[in-house]
Amino acid sequence: MKIGYPCVNEAMDCSAANTFRLASYSEERLVAAVAANLTCLRRMLEWNVAQGLLFFRMGSGIVPFGSHEINTFPWQKHFAAEFRAIGDYIRANDLRVSFHPDQFVVLNSPSPDIVRRSIEELIYQGSMLDLMGLDGTAKLQIHVGGLYGDRELALSRFAAVHATLPEAVKARVVVENDDRLFSLRDCLHLHELTGVPILFDNFHHECLNHDEPMPEALRLAAATWHPARDGVPMMDYSSQAVGERKGKHTGDLVDDLFRGFLTELRGLDMDLMLEIKNKEASALRAVAILRELGLSAPAPNVPSPPLTLPPDPKAPAKARRGKKEAAAKMEES
């Protein structure tokens, strides 16, 4: 069982999502941003390994405008060695990584243009995993999409578009149950239509379900993953923020709730992505609880890289921005 957090290390002084405005696009800006993003990504992965946090959701913006028509620079070739080195590090340290494309990726949209751009974004993000040399266990996590007034049509439209995806992308796509529109039951139906694995979200299931007990729901979702092709099932973990609207994620790990959830697994092996606002702080507590319960290996005896480094005068300005500003620009769900 691996514990992870998404996209941003709140305590680290760098961002892996340096970007710039579309109106300011230039190949020079692109190269500088990608170089800074890959450097920061490597630092985050090294820090995570030292803490025993072996699951990480990478941010989608490693390559600014990666799927946009303006970006004709051959970044795949230019940064091939850097991507390969990161992939080598991931495999050598038994890390699990994923992407969660932004909400504009909607495969079941009635708009052909939205569908086209969604597929292009999945191809872009999948190509980064390909450049890293990672197998199909590195996933692209998406939602079913919109309801558009007809549940069955929305699901069948997703299935039809899914069938057209390049095989390399199709092998990586997983679908997540959400908290408002598409429940675990809907995702199970989609799995029957497409074979797509279900990335189970416990908090979303608590918000929207058909009375499936949590242990049963976990096993139903896990059964959609092929042990060899897909690897250990991934899931998202969070809980309700006290006093907030229904569906708002907690800002900090609630230790007792997390311990209780672990009993619901009943021995099921899952890689857990914590969708909790304080990110690595909660992830560190979660992995400590797993170690206490004998569910995770002891901390590795490797040096922990520093969270901060002296400013690099050659880095793009965005790379030196404050961590709060950087975090605000990153996707969290």
Side-chain angles (χ1 to χ4, degrees), residues 189-242:
H189 180 43
L190 198 58
H191 172 71
E192 292 174 355
L193 295 174
T194 64
V196 65
I198 299 169
L199 189 147
F200 183 70
D201 188 306
N202 75 300
F203 183 35
H204 289 171
H205 183 69
E206 291 169 4
C207 295
L208 179 65
N209 61 69
H210 296 277
D211 297 322
E212 304 95 338
M214 188 63 71
E216 176 187 350
L218 285 160
R219 276 158 177 75
L220 286 170
T224 65
W225 291 66
H226 187 280
R229 291 194 305 268
D230 302 316
V232 172
M234 296 176 175
M235 69 161 288
D236 288 346
Y237 174 85
S238 188
S239 58
Q240 174 67 44
V242 177

Side-chain angles (χ1 to χ4, degrees), residues 51-266:
Q51 316 308 318
L53 301 175
L54 301 181
F55 188 18
F56 189 64
R57 180 190 296 166
M58 300 182 292
S60 301
I62 293 172
V63 180
F65 311 107
S67 64
H68 196 284
E69 60 188 11
I70 197 173
N71 185 354
T72 59
F73 181 75
W75 57 267
Q76 297 94 334
K77 182 177 179 180
H78 187 89
F79 289 102
E82 289 85 348
F83 275 102
R84 173 61 68 169
I86 288 174
D88 290 344
Y89 183 82
I90 288 169
R91 288 192 304 277
N93 290 277
D94 195 28
L95 279 161
R96 188 88 180 268
V97 296
S98 65
F99 283 113
H100 192 338
D102 293 335
Q103 64 272 14
F104 68 79
V105 172
V106 184
L107 292 186
N108 76 343
S109 172
S111 166
D113 187 54
I114 291 176
V115 171
R116 176 185 59 79
R117 286 187 280 116
S118 297
I119 294 172
E120 289 172 352
E121 182 68 13
L122 290 174
I123 291 171
Y124 148 62
Q125 295 192 31
S127 72
M128 290 191 284
L129 298 172
D130 295 340
L131 286 169
M132 293 177 189
L134 302 179
D135 63 19
T137 63
K139 295 299 188 183
L140 301 171
Q141 172 183 350
I142 61 175
H143 293 271
V144 178
L147 196 58
Y148 306 110
D150 189 325
R151 185 176 305 275
E152 284 300 319
L153 181 58
L155 292 171
S156 63
R157 194 159 50 228
F158 182 105
V161 174
H162 180 271
T164 71
L165 294 175
E167 289 302 318
V169 173
K170 195 184 299 183
R172 298 194 186 280
V173 168
V174 295
V175 67
E176 171 189 353
N177 59 303
D178 66 60
D179 59 339
R180 296 185 305 109
L181 298 179
F182 293 100
S183 66
L184 172 64
R185 178 188 291 180
D186 295 318
C187 293
L188 287 168
H189 180 43
L190 198 58
H191 172 71
E192 292 174 355
L193 295 174
T194 64
V196 65
I198 299 169
L199 189 147
F200 183 70
D201 188 306
N202 75 300
F203 183 35
H204 289 171
H205 183 69
E206 291 169 4
C207 295
L208 179 65
N209 61 69
H210 296 277
D211 297 322
E212 304 95 338
M214 188 63 71
E216 176 187 350
L218 285 160
R219 276 158 177 75
L220 286 170
T224 65
W225 291 66
H226 187 280
R229 291 194 305 268
D230 302 316
V232 172
M234 296 176 175
M235 69 161 288
D236 288 346
Y237 174 85
S238 188
S239 58
Q240 174 67 44
V242 177
E244 300 286 351
R245 62 166 175 80
K246 180 181 178 181
K248 185 173 178 60
H249 293 227
T250 186
D252 193 17
L253 183 73
V254 182
D255 292 13
D256 289 345
L257 288 179
F258 183 66
R259 289 175 182 274
F261 173 76
L262 292 176
T263 66
E264 305 274 27
L265 288 170
R266 299 181 183 177

Side-chain angles (χ1 to χ4, degrees), residues 263-302:
T263 66
E264 305 274 27
L265 288 170
R266 299 181 183 177
L268 186 66
D269 190 14
M270 305 278 275
D271 288 340
L272 309 184
M273 178 61 59
L274 304 191
E275 290 197 323
I276 297 176
K277 299 297 182 183
N278 64 358
K279 298 181 182 291
E280 80 285 346
S282 282
L284 289 172
R285 292 223 310 282
V287 81
I289 290 172
L290 290 188
R291 287 172 180 151
E292 174 192 326
L293 297 175
L295 298 175
S296 182
N301 185 25
V302 296

